[in-house]
């Protein structure tokens, strides 16, 4: 791993030195040790791909197989196996596709991603927070909080890209990659991944566009595409033409634009859909909207959702207008549905084990949603989980034994449920 980090630093140095050039001979950084490190970094519990091999299955043959894999990769003989497609829940009713590569394919994807990452970290903008080491959703929210609260950028474009990962144009993506990466071995490998088949319900198909969500290389490729389509365009071409201050914050394919002046919002809204159409992307017309955070309730939207929170204008202790947030209704509803389904299925588990697992889930929720200004959202989740648990404990069979008084002793004294906690406090950035 130490050798791998050294190589990544060398690649970053090369990228800085040749800022405007496309880099070659990058595959030389990938050797047996590099592939071994990539293999060890994979999630050992991940679901198997189209070959039905788990991480532990591959471990049995890794010593013999990895040198052969390296030779196939360097010679161009390696063939990207089909990706197994499954669907995971998105909201109450929706589902989104997830591609599951084989372990061997993941090793190569992780290795190529590790080589390309240092190059693009020199390119990506600071307001791009998704799928980047050292960047997080909470940092994106804090950045937006400061822009809106301290600079008075109260006009918002809340945008939504329709089926982004499935719409990326392969030809245009290749042109964007040409600007920085011209290593023949790596580029051929990326082409193979873009063309790799998809197995769904036993049927094999070949996509003509998009990058399958689930592949380790896909988030980087998706970031490269939007970096050129949106980030560079808005920050370098559009912002200098605006009459007032503005900002952009992006997390993967979710982004928000903020403006000081209403006239700038109108100008950008006219050109934004055209910009996306040029690169064969489409903004969701029903979900993309202009928000005036100062609007009165009857005058239209005055809040917007971003990264699981509803953001709205409130007042600080000094009476200044600042951007506050709360758990979005949609995310709260989904979280409660998930924990209710789990408790219902597992209600006959031993009580100690049941509450232990519920506390794990509570902690996970607090760890993300436990953010300044969201105390009410956390408390609402906690109180409703309490009621859900009470309901299903009394449906374990036999006579209900948990009246409210006895139940409160259980969750407060005997086997306490974890109470809400703010993990991410931005009080240092909050006006006093």
């Amino acid at each position: 791993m130490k050798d791998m980090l050294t190589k990544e630093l060398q690649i970053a140095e090369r990228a800085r030195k040749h800022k405007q050039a496309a880099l070659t001979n990058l595959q030389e950084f990938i050797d047996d040790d590099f592939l071994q490190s990539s293999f060890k970094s994979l999630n050992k519990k991940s679901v198997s791909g189209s070959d039905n091999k788990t991480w532990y299955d591959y471990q049995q043959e890794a010593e013999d197989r990895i040198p052969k894999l390296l030779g196939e990769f360097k010679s161009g003989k390696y063939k990207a196996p089909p990706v197994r497609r499954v669907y995971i829940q998105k909201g109450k009713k929706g589902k989104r596709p997830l591609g599951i590569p084989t372990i061997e394919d993941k090793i190569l994807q992780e290795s190529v991603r590790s080589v390309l990452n240092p190059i693009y970290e020199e390119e990506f903008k600071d307001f791009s927070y998704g799928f980047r080491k050292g960047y997080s959703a909470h940092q994106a929210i804090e950045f937006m909080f400061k822009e809106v609260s301290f600079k008075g950028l109260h006009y918002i474009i809340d945008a939504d890209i329709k089926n982004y990962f499935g719409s990326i144009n392969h030809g245009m993506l290749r042109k964007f990659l040409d600007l920085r990466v011209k290593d023949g071995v790596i580029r051929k490998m990326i082409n193979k991944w873009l063309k790799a088949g998809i197995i769904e319900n036993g049927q094999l198909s070949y996509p003509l566009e998009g990058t399958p969500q689930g592949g380790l290389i896909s988030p980087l490729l998706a970031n490269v595409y939007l970096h050129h389509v949106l980030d560079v365009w808005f920050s370098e071409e559009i912002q200098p033409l605006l009459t007032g201050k503005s900002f952009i914050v992006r997390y993967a394919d979710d982004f928000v634009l903020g403006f000081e002046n209403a006239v700038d919002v109108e100008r950008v809204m006219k050109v934004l859909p055209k910009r996306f159409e040029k690169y064969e992307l489409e903004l969701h017309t029903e979900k993309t909207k202009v928000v005036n955070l100062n609007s009165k309730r009857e005058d239209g939207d005055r809040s917007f959702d971003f990264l699981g929170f509803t953001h709205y204008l409130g007042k600080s202790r000094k009476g200044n207008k600042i951007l506050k947030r709360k758990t979005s209704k949609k995310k709260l509803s989904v979280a409660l549905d998930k924990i209710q389904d789990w408790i219902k299925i597992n209600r006959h588990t031993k009580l100690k084990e049941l509450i232990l697992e519920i506390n794990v889930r509570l902690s996970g929720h607090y760890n993300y949603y436990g953010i300044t200004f969201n105390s009410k959202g956390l408390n609402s989740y906690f109180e409703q989980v309490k009621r859900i648990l009470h309901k299903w404990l009394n449906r374990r069979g036999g006579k209900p034994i948990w009246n409210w008084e006895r139940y409160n002793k259980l969750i407060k004294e005997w086997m306490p449920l974890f109470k809400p906690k703010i993990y991410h406090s931005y009080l240092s950035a909050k006006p006093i």
Side-chain angles (χ1 to χ4, degrees):
M1 291 294 286
K2 195 172 182 181
D3 182 55
M4 195 172 183
L5 179 60
T6 301
K7 289 180 178 180
E8 289 177 8
L9 292 173
Q10 290 173 351
I11 295 167
E13 177 60 31
R14 186 185 292 187
R16 281 191 293 270
K17 185 177 180 181
H18 305 282
K19 192 74 175 172
Q20 305 300 322
L23 303 181
T24 58
N25 297 325
L26 294 169
Q27 51 86 22
E28 68 185 19
F29 289 99
I30 299 177
D31 53 22
D32 278 11
D33 291 338
F34 206 88
L35 292 182
Q36 285 282 2
S37 295
S38 295
F39 172 57
K40 291 175 183 177
S41 72
L42 299 180
N43 180 4
K44 297 177 178 61
K45 297 180 180 179
S46 61
V47 181
S48 59
S50 57
D51 62 354
N52 294 318
K53 285 185 180 179
T54 66
W55 188 93
Y56 294 99
D57 293 332
Y58 195 85
Q59 187 183 34
Q60 303 299 317
E61 57 187 61
E63 188 174 341
D64 292 329
R65 182 60 200 148
I66 283 181
K68 294 177 183 177
L69 176 63
L70 180 65
E72 291 172 8
F73 165 66
K74 299 259 184 175
S75 66
K77 293 180 180 179
Y78 179 82
K79 294 182 179 180
V83 173
R84 185 163 71 87
R85 175 176 281 175
V86 298
Y87 288 85
I88 60 174
Q89 200 67 35
K90 183 180 181 182
K92 283 187 176 181
K93 299 179 181 178
K95 290 187 176 181
R96 69 176 177 88
L98 185 69
I100 303 175
T102 64
I103 293 295
E104 191 158 84
D105 213 39
K106 287 180 180 178
I107 294 171
L108 278 183
Q109 288 197 30
E110 175 61 20
S111 296
V112 171
R113 187 190 66 81
S114 296
V115 167
L116 298 185
N117 254 346
I119 298 170
Y120 284 104
E121 280 303 312
E122 297 297 318
E123 300 288 308
F124 290 154
K125 303 291 185 179
D126 287 340
F127 54 74
S128 172
Y129 290 87
F131 303 125
R132 296 178 64 189
K133 189 176 181 179
Y135 289 77
S136 71
H138 291 116
Q139 289 175 329
I141 291 168
E142 182 183 13
F143 170 80
M144 186 172 67
F145 164 77
K146 291 178 179 178
E147 292 293 307
V148 174
S149 302
F150 302 160
K151 297 180 182 179
L153 309 185
H154 295 166
Y155 294 96
I156 301 293
I157 293 178
D158 175 23
D160 185 275
I161 307 173
K162 188 182 290 186
N163 186 29
Y164 173 62
F165 284 88
S167 302
I168 295 173
N169 181 284
H170 291 174
M172 293 177 183
L173 174 60
R174 291 187 186 100
K175 288 181 180 178
F176 290 146
L177 290 170
D178 281 343
L179 299 174
R180 290 301 271 148
V181 179
K182 283 196 174 177
D183 181 287
V185 173
I186 285 178
R187 289 299 302 274
K188 284 178 183 176
M189 193 66 252
I190 291 175
N191 286 339
K192 289 177 181 179
W193 285 323
L194 292 175
K195 295 176 182 177
I198 294 175
I199 295 179
E200 183 177 350
N201 297 324
Q203 299 294 316
L204 179 63
S205 62
Y206 292 90
L208 299 176
E209 58 189 15
T211 61
Q213 287 179 267
L216 300 182
I217 195 70
S218 295
L220 176 62
L221 297 179
N223 255 347
V224 169
Y225 201 75
L226 268 189
H227 169 74
H228 290 284
V229 173
L230 177 64
D231 299 356
V232 173
W233 171 74
F234 185 78
S235 63
E236 297 181 14
E237 295 183 36
I238 300 300
Q239 281 187 303
L241 302 177
L242 301 179
T243 60
K245 297 174 185 175
S246 62
F247 77 86
I248 173 176
V249 59
R250 181 170 70 82
Y251 190 94
D253 60 328
D254 291 332
F255 69 95
V256 169
L257 307 176
F259 305 87
E260 182 181 19
N261 298 331
V263 64
D264 288 332
V265 179
E266 294 174 8
R267 292 171 65 195
V268 172
M269 274 301 288
K270 286 181 181 178
V271 297
L272 191 62
K274 295 176 183 177
R275 175 68 179 181
F276 278 79
E277 285 171 16
K278 180 179 178 181
Y279 294 95
E280 298 191 6
L281 297 175
E282 183 182 356
L283 290 177
H284 202 301
T285 52
E286 294 177 2
K287 295 181 180 179
T288 299
K289 60 183 181 180
V290 174
V291 176
N292 179 356
L293 294 172
N294 288 302
S295 290
K296 294 180 180 179
R297 190 181 299 273
E298 63 274 11
D299 292 339
D301 293 313
R302 55 178 186 167
S303 66
F304 63 97
D305 289 356
F306 182 58
L307 299 180
F309 295 90
T310 296
H311 302 268
Y312 61 96
L313 216 54
K315 287 189 177 181
S316 70
R317 286 173 289 181
K318 283 185 67 174
N320 297 321
K321 291 181 179 180
I322 58 172
L323 189 67
K324 293 189 173 183
R325 81 283 293 193
K326 60 185 178 182
T327 309
S328 73
K329 288 182 181 179
K330 181 180 176 181
K331 294 297 184 181
L332 180 59
S333 178
V334 169
L336 289 170
D337 284 345
K338 279 185 178 179
I339 200 164
Q340 169 150 260
D341 289 345
W342 187 90
I343 292 173
K344 178 182 177 181
I345 293 169
N346 295 278
R347 66 185 184 275
H348 296 295
T349 305
K350 289 181 180 179
L351 199 53
K352 186 175 182 180
E353 294 175 10
L354 182 69
I355 291 183
L356 187 66
E357 181 59 34
I358 290 172
N359 279 336
V360 170
R361 291 164 186 268
L362 287 173
S363 294
H365 186 88
Y366 302 155
N367 191 48
Y368 185 76
Y369 290 100
I371 187 172
T372 307
F373 307 127
N374 195 33
S375 295
K376 286 184 179 179
L378 290 188
N379 287 327
S380 175
Y381 178 73
F382 176 68
E383 291 298 326
Q384 292 184 71
V385 169
K386 277 169 54 178
R387 284 168 172 74
I388 290 169
L389 178 59
H390 179 250
K391 167 187 169 181
W392 289 108
L393 283 183
N394 278 321
R395 297 188 183 185
R396 281 159 67 101
K399 186 178 179 180
I401 62 172
W402 296 102
N403 60 45
W404 197 247
E405 183 179 351
R406 187 165 184 262
Y407 174 67
N408 270 309
K409 276 188 174 290
L410 170 72
I411 62 171
K412 290 180 180 179
E413 299 176 24
W414 304 335
M415 298 177 192
L417 286 180
F418 287 171
K419 291 184 177 180
K421 179 180 177 181
I422 297 294
Y423 283 88
H424 309 279
S425 176
Y426 299 135
L427 292 176
S428 61
K430 181 180 176 183
I432 299 173

